[in-house]
Amino acid sequence: MKKIAFLLVSVLMVACATNPMTGRTSLNLVSNSDLFVASFQQYGKMLSESKVVTGTRDSKRVIEIGNRIQRAAENYYKSIGQEQALAEYKWEYNLIADDHINAFCMPGGKVAVYTGIMPVAANDNGLAVVMGHEIAHALANHSASRASQQIISQLGMQVGGTVLSGSQWGDVFGALYPIGSELTTLSYGRKDETEADVMGLKLMAMAGYDPREAPVFWGRMQANTKNSGTPEFLSTHPSGETRIQTLNQNMAEAVKIYETYKAKQ
């Protein structure tokens, strides 16, 4: 038992990393190199099993807004000397024909937006709220943190070392992100969701989208929830009221970022 405890403590001591975007230190046992391989494979599998919409106004909007948020993130990381943190990202944006109200960003910048969420997004600013939030999850390394927590849990039962072998990442990732014929589910904790809300608000502002649309968008999402039950996009998330309150608390800073962007145009 002492050896197990020593191993766990040693792993925890060396496996903490500070995220450039959030400034928060979190457990990170999974490198991007390992996680991204599984992510890109899963994303490719999802595309092959889905109807990808191309050449339409909405599909072009998804690509344009994604590219602008990507450039904003890259410029920010460069401004703080952390551009290397995004070196392994392979950004991609696709619109998927699916009536579910959902969107996600896989680790490494692989984004999918479902057609079902487009009417709720309503406009470019609303779509930027959605995509900024999802991209923020990837930049904050929320998936790596979840995988790391799972590994630590497994380490308590299997200290032999096999849990940390490279061949295990696909299983860990697959457990976190089940993708197939059913709806893709990327579930995060409420703390991660709140962090993605605040980061996403700033990202969309950096990209030149009006952050004041964010509470309006979530009001529409809340109305949709009342009309048709809880969408997948809102499962395990904070309540609409809590989310809007958090956004408004961070709005002044986001509007300042947005106005700075507009002044430079």
Side-chain angles (χ1 to χ4, degrees):
M1 290 297 295
K2 289 183 178 179
K3 290 182 178 180
I4 294 175
F6 177 78
L7 175 60
L8 291 175
V9 171
S10 299
V11 169
L12 290 172
M13 288 178 66
V14 301
C16 290
T18 301
N19 184 269
M21 191 76 185
T22 66
R24 180 167 60 89
T25 299
S26 60
L27 181 65
N28 191 355
L29 291 170
V30 188
S31 70
N32 282 348
S33 296
D34 289 318
L35 191 59
F36 287 6
V37 170
S39 172
F40 299 159
Q41 291 174 347
Q42 293 273 354
Y43 188 78
K45 182 175 185 292
M46 182 275 299
L47 291 181
S48 70
E49 296 175 350
S50 304
K51 182 179 179 181
V52 181
V53 181
T54 60
T56 67
R57 178 176 178 272
D58 280 347
S59 67
K60 292 175 181 177
R61 288 172 62 209
V62 167
I63 294 171
E64 178 184 358
I65 292 170
N67 282 332
R68 282 177 58 172
I69 294 175
Q70 172 191 335
R71 288 194 297 270
E74 290 171 343
N75 288 337
Y76 175 76
Y77 274 62
K78 184 176 181 179
S79 73
I80 60 174
Q82 295 289 333
E83 59 266 38
Q84 190 59 32
L86 302 180
E88 296 181 79
Y89 276 64
K90 294 182 179 179
W91 299 94
E92 187 174 351
Y93 313 96
N94 283 288
L95 180 63
I96 306 298
D98 192 304
D99 290 337
H100 287 97
I101 299 175
N102 197 30
F104 60 87
C105 180
M106 303 284 279
K110 300 294 188 179
V111 178
V113 177
Y114 286 14
T115 52
I117 205 170
M118 299 299 283
V120 187
N123 53 57
D124 284 358
N125 288 322
L127 187 53
V129 176
V130 174
M131 297 183 70
H133 172 91
E134 295 304 323
I135 289 172
H137 274 307
L139 294 176
N141 292 329
H142 288 157
S143 53
S145 296
R146 293 185 65 229
S148 298
Q149 291 165 6
Q150 186 179 66
I151 291 166
I152 284 295
S153 177
Q154 292 178 0
L155 269 175
M157 298 178 289
Q158 300 180 18
V159 190
T162 58
V163 177
L164 295 179
S165 66
S167 62
Q168 299 298 316
W169 295 126
D171 294 337
V172 171
F173 191 85
L176 294 176
Y177 304 109
I179 295 178
S181 59
E182 299 299 321
L183 173 67
T184 299
T185 301
L186 303 184
S187 176
Y188 298 97
R190 291 180 182 271
K191 182 177 180 180
D192 288 346
E193 289 298 330
T194 298
E195 188 169 65
D197 277 345
V198 176
M199 283 178 61
L201 191 70
K202 296 175 182 178
L203 279 171
M204 68 177 293
M206 290 176 189
Y209 295 102
D210 193 338
R212 287 167 291 203
E213 178 67 21
V216 181
F217 165 79
W218 288 111
R220 291 195 295 269
M221 285 293 292
Q222 194 171 12
N224 187 86
T225 301
K226 292 178 180 178
N227 293 334
S228 59
T230 303
E232 186 67 27
F233 190 67
L234 287 177
S235 64
T236 75
H237 292 44
S239 68
E241 293 85 355
T242 299
R243 173 165 257 148
I244 290 171
Q245 182 180 14
T246 299
L247 289 168
N248 285 329
Q249 288 171 348
N250 290 273
M251 189 59 65
E253 182 181 358
V255 170
K256 185 177 181 180
I257 294 171
Y258 172 68
E259 290 177 343
T260 299
Y261 173 93
K262 299 296 288 185
K264 292 179 179 179
Q265 300 309 300

